Amino acid sequence: MSLVEQYARAHIVTGADAPEEERDAVPVRLRYDPEADPRAVRVGLPGTHEWTFSRSLLEQGLRAPAGSGDVRVWPCGRVQAVVEFHSDQGVSVVQFETKALLRFLRRTYLAGAPVRG
């Protein structure tokens, strides 16, 4: 089993008064380390800490609204998904292209598959 790390472009959803550069897509790091926790994924936002939550929550949230603890995931139209992170500092709402998250999930399942020789 091996580490999966993928960068995806995402939009940090903010108020209408946000500066132009904050409305552009930013790189978000997606990580899966089956040796550390085979049931968890990590999402690293720019300038903040890394969020760890259930891989199944991410998968469920791509089909229908799902949430657990401080993380919520839901589909947004046909091609986008939203991940919402709650902390003492506030709420971060991040909008991804669904295909990037699906590609990441597919890679996580392949990483956990036994190697056939």
Side-chain angles (χ1 to χ4, degrees):
M1 296 198 290
S2 60
L3 175 73
V4 173
E5 186 170 84
Q6 174 180 316
Y7 284 85
R9 305 276 307 156
H11 291 275
I12 308 294
V13 180
T14 59
D17 296 336
E20 185 73 28
E21 62 272 9
E22 288 183 17
R23 288 186 243 147
D24 292 338
V26 297
V28 175
R29 186 174 68 177
L30 307 170
R31 293 189 72 205
Y32 172 71
D33 185 351
E35 298 205 9
D37 185 349
R39 293 180 302 259
V41 294
R42 298 177 188 178
V43 176
L45 302 178
T48 63
H49 71 281
E50 192 171 68
W51 292 83
T52 302
F53 58 97
S54 164
R55 178 172 62 169
S56 64
L57 171 63
L58 179 59
E59 185 174 11
Q60 291 167 10
L62 295 179
R63 293 188 305 267
S68 177
D70 295 333
V71 179
R72 310 271 185 279
V73 182
W74 66 89
C76 181
R78 295 173 58 136
V79 298
Q80 296 180 328
V82 173
V83 182
E84 184 178 271
F85 303 101
H86 294 256
S87 72
D88 293 339
Q89 291 76 35
V91 177
S92 295
V93 180
V94 185
Q95 190 171 32
F96 291 89
E97 285 191 17
T98 302
K99 66 181 178 182
L101 296 176
L102 287 170
R103 185 172 38 250
F104 171 68
L105 281 171
R106 207 171 13 256
R107 291 180 64 209
T108 70
Y109 286 110
L110 290 173
V115 178
R116 295 179 186 211

